[in-house]
Amino acid sequence: MITGSGLPLRADDVMTSPVVTVPADTPIAPAAALLAAHGFTAAPVVDADGRLLGVVTEADLVRDRFRLEGREPRTVDEVMSRTPLAMRPEDELTDVVSLMLDSHVRSVPIVDDGDLVGIVTRRDVLRVVARGERGADEVRRRRGLPERPARPAGTRGRVVVGDDGSPGAAAALRSALADAARRGVRVEVVSAFAVPAPWPVRYGAPQVPTSRDLAVEVERELRGRARAAAEEVRAEPGDATPEVAVRAVPGEPGQVLSGAAAGADLLVVGSRGRGAAASLLLGSVGLHCVLHAPCSVTVVPSPGRADEDTRPPADAAEATR
């Protein structure tokens, strides 16, 4: 057991911090050398601002290195595992360990308000088990840590909203901006996109855009839609315009949004579903987020839905995991 007398153990009681990270544009060889030098099996991949983009493992680095055909990958961005599983500092260690075991991973990045603040590995958990530590007070004393840090007064929160350009996403974006304005927090607009597979070089096919090229284009479109939605929100009495950031992430929409919601106050998604069943009402992405997102989720019905008789009475159906 990893709870007992005293305060239950949380991720921030045992996590390793600061974290050894790998920039997304790191060449394959230096990334492999970094993992080998530290004895790591995986490391978080971050962007220029230090935000979590993915995780690169030993398997990722060697998987395509010795293939016989095609171009070898050059940077970590091309091989990393995207939409990594992540949890928050305040999540109980029991839940972190359950995630590790259920997902067959050796480490879980810890994200606070979008920033990578630590990582919990199986080795961190084994230290607790080996010492027979039963509560947070024991672990923090052993590690020389102060009492659990409180969230600083005035710290701003974050509302994450998914945007795929659909009418439902537009309604979700307006709802998120209005909600964030009332809360006095910022908004992060996130879009998932698919990266086309490169054609074999021997066929003389033109090079397809890289994931970074596609992300730049998607983020440009996101900024335009966010500006338009912000103008609508500003026109409503009593609503200010919250700070807005945009991010495009390659991967499956449900996984991308659930991962982006780590440390957020709220995740807002649109619904394009039809029919009476819950899974159809929410849509596959909305249902995935309700079931897996690490924060409260608001599913905003699409405007002009054909199944008005099955829509919940409220303007938005909110579910908390």
Side-chain angles (χ1 to χ4, degrees), residues 288-306:
H288 185 283
C289 291
V290 167
L291 294 176
H292 299 288
C295 66
S296 295
V297 179
T298 295
V299 180
V300 180
S302 298
R305 280 176 42 160

Side-chain angles (χ1 to χ4, degrees), residues 12-301:
D12 58 358
D13 295 324
V14 306
M15 70 184 186
T16 298
S17 181
V19 189
V20 176
T21 60
V22 180
D25 57 358
T26 303
I28 296 296
L34 179 69
L35 264 63
H38 289 276
F40 294 161
T41 59
V45 180
V46 296
D47 63 13
D49 297 322
R51 288 183 172 265
L52 184 65
L53 295 177
V55 170
V56 64
T57 68
E58 295 172 320
D60 295 328
L61 293 173
V62 304
R63 181 176 295 115
D64 296 325
R65 176 64 178 80
F66 301 104
R67 64 184 180 182
L68 299 177
E69 299 178 344
R71 183 180 68 84
E72 292 181 3
R74 297 175 181 173
T75 63
V76 167
D77 180 65
E78 298 178 61
V79 301
M80 69 181 185
S81 302
R82 304 180 186 277
T83 62
L85 300 169
M87 298 197 77
R88 299 170 295 179
E90 63 269 26
D91 287 330
E92 290 196 8
L93 187 57
T94 300
D95 295 330
V96 178
V97 173
S98 295
L99 181 63
M100 284 186 188
L101 297 176
D102 293 343
S103 304
H104 306 288
V105 295
R106 294 178 177 272
S107 58
V108 175
I110 305 302
V111 177
D112 186 22
D113 197 22
D115 297 322
L116 179 66
V117 297
I119 189 168
V120 175
T121 67
R122 289 187 183 182
R123 183 175 299 178
D124 295 324
V125 179
L126 281 174
R127 288 193 185 100
V128 173
V129 175
R131 290 178 170 87
E133 293 162 330
R134 311 283 296 185
D137 48 355
E138 297 178 75
V139 175
R140 298 189 77 87
R141 277 198 302 269
R142 186 252 301 171
R143 301 186 65 199
L145 298 175
E147 293 184 3
R148 281 180 176 169
R151 190 181 182 100
T155 297
R156 299 184 67 193
R158 178 170 59 106
V159 172
V160 175
V161 56
D163 184 356
D164 61 2
S166 67
L173 179 57
R174 290 191 295 270
S175 175
L177 288 166
D179 193 286
R182 290 191 293 270
R183 295 170 182 251
V185 301
R186 60 191 177 91
V187 173
E188 183 176 17
V189 186
V190 179
S191 181
F193 66 92
V195 179
W199 288 8
V201 176
R202 63 177 179 272
Y203 291 127
Q207 293 290 325
V208 298
T210 66
S211 60
R212 192 167 299 137
D213 294 333
L214 290 171
V216 169
E217 178 62 23
V218 173
E219 288 173 357
R220 183 186 65 79
E221 296 176 0
L222 290 178
R223 290 189 188 93
R225 290 197 292 266
R227 281 194 296 269
E231 290 299 325
E232 293 184 34
V233 172
R234 186 185 291 116
E236 297 177 6
D239 280 337
T241 303
E243 175 188 344
V244 178
V246 302
R247 183 153 62 103
V249 182
E252 293 296 326
Q255 295 177 352
V256 167
L257 293 177
S258 295
D265 298 331
L266 179 69
L267 171 61
V268 183
V269 295
S271 172
R272 292 182 294 175
R274 295 287 187 268
S279 61
L280 295 179
L281 278 172
L282 296 179
S284 59
V285 175
L287 181 62
H288 185 283
C289 291
V290 167
L291 294 176
H292 299 288
C295 66
S296 295
V297 179
T298 295
V299 180
V300 180

